[in-house]
């Protein structure tokens, strides 16, 4: 199934597409040189918003949980990239242990695990799923709706290694952000590769740091392309601890919202954009459910705080990031959609649309009720078609998404280097 | 278009398929470890014959000229593999110079050049075609039947580098075996990467050496799989200079044909195969057109020599290799077919069937009149489907072809190491 692409095709995005296509060899070379100096995350998924006048990543997931949404046509690419990834890390590996979330959210997540297992099995590894949940005491077989079956097994922790009964992996692949914090069972595993590293999990990772790194690489790519980096970068501000009971906490958010809206308004004026600017307030550590709140006016903050509503629409507490809101002008049928780009190592391997029929074009789509539609991958897939009129070719649009996805992945690699506790401090 | 797969599904090949599928992680790991020690050829294409009871490569081309036969669905894989290849060789490269055959055989070869250019352009290089033919004195634009257009430009040789006007490549990619020998213009280019290396061209390469290396790796993979390596290896003999005017030359061929037929007969008996054994006599340096002659009985040699027929069906002169004939039991519609596997670096990126309506199942199909049909690449493409009954799944069959293709590529890497004139001699 190929979605009907109905991006609002206003001017600037087509110029950007044109510029990106023309610069393809230069862009690819730039990435090649970056990957000589920096290590890409093992895998990643980037949410992208295409506003028609700008295109920007709004979230970079280092523990992607939607592998089941890739179509079978995308699988050979994923397997080939997985082969390249393994070869770099542990070529002599026989076994890979995948550690899933303790809390199994839904059968879709289980299908994701089955697909992940399939990809790495085809890349040449024996793959098993090792749960660190205290509730998994014996092997648990689970049938999936599509007829697949997976088995969750309890991990066994030795003095220096983690494994299963009769299964000693070279690499342990986390498919969980470890929302409850880093458990002792995953610490001090110095003999094995634990990927992504623990400092990529929610206990340590901060969105703000990611977007600082993204701003840096977006500026450099912008320079290469000769464009205003704002066209590919969402501006942002940051507050420390926000306590909704404290006036100081709210004041910091309000000041940041106000300042950011002013900056966005200026940019909209510069580009003659008639849309209403908005910002999104999110928790800095990426805890979901606490919600990303859309704010169009600083005065709305009082109402949001006063309403005291719990759950998804109340103001998040803890550290918050205030990010420039990027509209999504992509629709599939009547529903608002945003592309999600999936990557293994430094390669784009596929993607899909996240679609939410009940959300607006300025709202977070990563919420209950979202569904997924494969990206158009017919014919030359993610490969650009030089010479086609900008805005008229799905593969060209997807090539552009792949560039922005990889740019966010590159930012993540800078971010993980900066936060690596085992790194030597050169300063 | 997906060909109807009508391999004769006799017992042994299905057991082999089963064994290969079950051993997938072990096979992939084995290749990973081999590629740690050995450098794969830049690109390669392997002709495979599936006799129903055995499966073997019969030719390994290190200058593949049929890239245009890959479908657009295979292109993302080819591009991804090309990215990996470039990254290893010359990550900082901006420019790639492709050197084609001096003699442009047909428009299909030109389409091949256009496709090769497209693949490496999408992998992030500026690609131009530099002819070393004395007849190309100025840039020559050629329109292709499919609307594509290519430009052949005359190369410019500096003291230490080869390039075009205002185009200095990091890597020079040969897409020609250099049938007329190695020209001085390609020698002493120590500042650039010249790939494949000159010792892979026809002046130096010998089929015999390739199949000696293949025999070695086939034995080792056979051991890993617990199978008789004969099931994946064509036996062979070799004669030095053969002069059809000299009785000695013919006698060597006859003795080898006789000995090899006896060995094949013994194997057929062991496996209860009712087919009539045959051998193929080929030039050792792979010069085409001189023909591969099928011999079913040593006494036929006299007739072949006496007939004195010039051209494709006469006995080749020079050094010859006498190779066990491997039937092909694959047909597409009524025509005899053999799979050709295309690889870039260490990755299988696609393939197609070479089909020849006028040739028999024991004859060389690489001859005028051959046509090309894409390999089935629908759904999971070259990815195996565990659990499917052997012989019933096209992807499983193609995974097996990919394993044999890569085995021949591995043999080529051993071969090129052994013949590298710049290598240190450790002995």
């Amino acid at each position: 199934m190929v979605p009907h692409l109905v991006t609002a095709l206003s001017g600037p995005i087509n110029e950007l597409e044109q510029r990106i296509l023309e610069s393809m060899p230069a862009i690819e070379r730039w990435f090649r040189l970056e990957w000589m100096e920096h290590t890409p995350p093992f895998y990643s998924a980037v949410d992208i918003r295409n506003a028609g006048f700008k295109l920007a990543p709004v979230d970079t997931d280092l523990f992607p949980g939607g592998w089941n949404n890739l179509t079978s046509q995308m699988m050979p690419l994923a397997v080939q990239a997985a082969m390249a990834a393994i070869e770099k890390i542990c070529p002599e590996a026989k076994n890979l242990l995948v550690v899933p979330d303790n809390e199994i959210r839904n059968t879709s997540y289980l299908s994701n695990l089955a697909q992940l297992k399939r990809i790495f099995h085809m890349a040449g590894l024996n793959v098993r799923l090792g749960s660190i949940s205290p509730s998994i005491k014996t092997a648990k077989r689970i049938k999936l709706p599509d007829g697949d079956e997976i088995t969750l097994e309890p991990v066994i922790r030795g003095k220096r290694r983690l494994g299963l009964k009769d299964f000693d992996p070279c690499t342990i692949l986390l498919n969980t952000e470890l929302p409850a914090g880093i458990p002792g069972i995953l610490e001090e595993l110095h003999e094995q590769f634990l990927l992504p590293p623990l400092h990529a999990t929610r206990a340590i990772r901060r969105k703000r740091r990611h977007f600082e790194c993204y701003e840096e690489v977006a500026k450099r790519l912008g320079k290469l392309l000769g464009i205003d980096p704002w066209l590919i970068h969402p501006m942002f501000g940051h507050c420390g601890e926000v306590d909704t009971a404290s006036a100081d906490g709210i004041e910091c958010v309000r000041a940041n919202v106000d300042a950011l809206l002013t900056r966005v308004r200026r940019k909209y004026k510069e580009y003659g954009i008639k849309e209403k600017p908005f910002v999104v307030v999110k928790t800095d550590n990426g805890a979901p459910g606490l919600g990303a709140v859309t704010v169009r006016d600083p005065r709305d903050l009082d109402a949001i705080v006063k309403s005291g509503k719990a759950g998804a629409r109340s103001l998040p507490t803890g550290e918050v990031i205030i990010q420039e809101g990027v509209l999504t002008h992509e629709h599939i049928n009547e529903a608002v959609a945003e592309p999600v780009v999936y990557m293994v190592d430094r390669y784009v391997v596929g993607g899909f649309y996240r679609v939410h029929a009940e959300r607006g074009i300025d709202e977070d789509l990563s919420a209950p009720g979202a569904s997924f539609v494969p990206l158009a991958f017919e014919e030359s897939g993610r490969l650009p078609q030089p010479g086609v009129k900008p805005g008229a070719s799905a593969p060209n649009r997807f090539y552009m998404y792949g560039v922005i996805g990889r740019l966010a992945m590159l930012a993540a690699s800078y971010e993980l280097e900066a936060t690596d506790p085992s790194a030597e401090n050169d300063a």
Side-chain angles (χ1 to χ4, degrees), chain A residues 46-180:
Chain A
V46 176
D47 294 351
I48 289 173
R49 308 269 291 202
N50 181 352
F53 52 85
K54 79 180 281 179
L55 180 75
V58 293
D59 194 43
T60 302
D61 188 350
L62 298 180
F63 303 90
W67 293 97
N68 52 313
N69 296 315
L70 299 190
T71 63
S72 55
Q73 283 173 304
M74 300 173 189
M75 288 289 279
L77 272 178
V79 171
Q80 191 175 292
M83 287 170 131
I86 294 162
E87 214 174 67
K88 280 197 313 194
I89 294 158
C90 194
E92 68 278 19
K94 288 182 180 174
N95 298 333
L96 177 75
L97 183 70
V98 176
V99 175
D101 265 347
N102 277 359
E103 192 191 336
I104 300 296
R105 296 166 250 168
N106 45 46
T107 58
S108 158
Y109 179 69
L110 293 171
S111 298
N112 156 70
L113 293 175
Q115 181 90 312
L116 206 48
K117 198 179 156 187
R118 201 174 295 124
I119 291 169
F120 286 95
H121 178 69
M122 288 178 181
L125 293 168
N126 301 307
V127 187
R128 284 160 70 175
L129 304 172
S131 174
I132 55 169
S133 164
S135 71
I136 301 289
K137 294 196 173 63
T138 55
K140 186 178 172 187
R141 283 169 65 173
I142 311 172
K143 277 218 179 290
L144 304 181
D146 60 4
D148 245 340
E149 189 181 272
I150 63 166
T151 303
L152 294 178
E153 298 177 74
V155 294
I156 296 171
R157 172 66 201 240
K159 197 167 161 57
R160 304 170 66 85
R161 300 182 73 90
L162 189 74
L164 303 176
K165 191 162 179 287
D166 305 322
F167 188 80
D168 183 35
C170 169
T171 301
I172 300 158
L173 180 62
L174 293 181
N175 194 237
T176 169
E177 285 188 291
L178 300 173

Side-chain angles (χ1 to χ4, degrees), chain A residues 355-377:
Chain A
V355 182
H356 204 306
E358 288 150 35
R359 290 277 170 110
I361 59 172
D362 60 358
E363 288 184 298
D364 184 16
L365 304 186
S366 189
S371 62
F372 304 97
V373 177
L375 282 183
F377 211 71

Side-chain angles (χ1 to χ4, degrees), chain A residues 302-368:
Chain A
D302 288 324
I304 292 168
V305 173
K306 279 193 194 120
S307 75
K309 278 187 294 188
R313 291 318 181 102
S314 72
L315 204 60
T317 54
E319 289 187 86
V320 299
I321 174 172
I322 297 103
Q323 193 174 45
E324 174 189 353
V326 182
L327 295 170
T328 179
H329 271 317
E330 296 226 63
H331 288 76
I332 289 178
N333 303 326
E334 297 296 300
V336 175
E338 66 186 16
V340 185
V341 174
Y342 265 61
M343 291 164 287
V344 173
D345 196 83
R346 59 208 177 285
Y347 303 106
V348 173
V349 299
F352 49 84
Y353 280 102
R354 181 182 290 118
V355 182
H356 204 306
E358 288 150 35
R359 290 277 170 110
I361 59 172
D362 60 358
E363 288 184 298
D364 184 16
L365 304 186
S366 189

Side-chain angles (χ1 to χ4, degrees), chain A residues 141-258:
Chain A
R141 283 169 65 173
I142 311 172
K143 277 218 179 290
L144 304 181
D146 60 4
D148 245 340
E149 189 181 272
I150 63 166
T151 303
L152 294 178
E153 298 177 74
V155 294
I156 296 171
R157 172 66 201 240
K159 197 167 161 57
R160 304 170 66 85
R161 300 182 73 90
L162 189 74
L164 303 176
K165 191 162 179 287
D166 305 322
F167 188 80
D168 183 35
C170 169
T171 301
I172 300 158
L173 180 62
L174 293 181
N175 194 237
T176 169
E177 285 188 291
L178 300 173
I182 298 169
I185 199 169
L186 293 181
E187 285 178 331
E188 310 280 330
L189 293 170
H190 302 304
E191 285 182 2
Q192 291 166 305
F193 294 93
L194 178 64
L195 293 168
L198 291 174
H199 63 280
T201 66
R202 202 182 293 161
I204 294 165
R205 194 167 181 234
R206 293 293 173 268
K207 283 187 193 301
R208 175 177 55 104
R209 216 177 272 125
H210 176 71
F211 283 101
E212 279 165 4
C213 293
Y214 183 80
E215 184 168 17
E216 182 188 337
V217 292
K219 276 183 181 162
R220 287 174 43 217
L221 183 67
K223 201 172 169 189
L224 181 78
L225 296 176
I227 58 160
D228 179 352
W230 177 73
L231 293 175
I232 54 173
H233 173 245
M235 298 186 291
F236 67 97
H238 168 257
C239 287
E241 286 295 318
V242 172
D243 180 356
T244 44
S246 128
D248 284 2
I250 296 297
E251 272 324 300
C252 175
V253 177
R254 194 194 318 272
N256 267 287
V257 166
D258 203 26

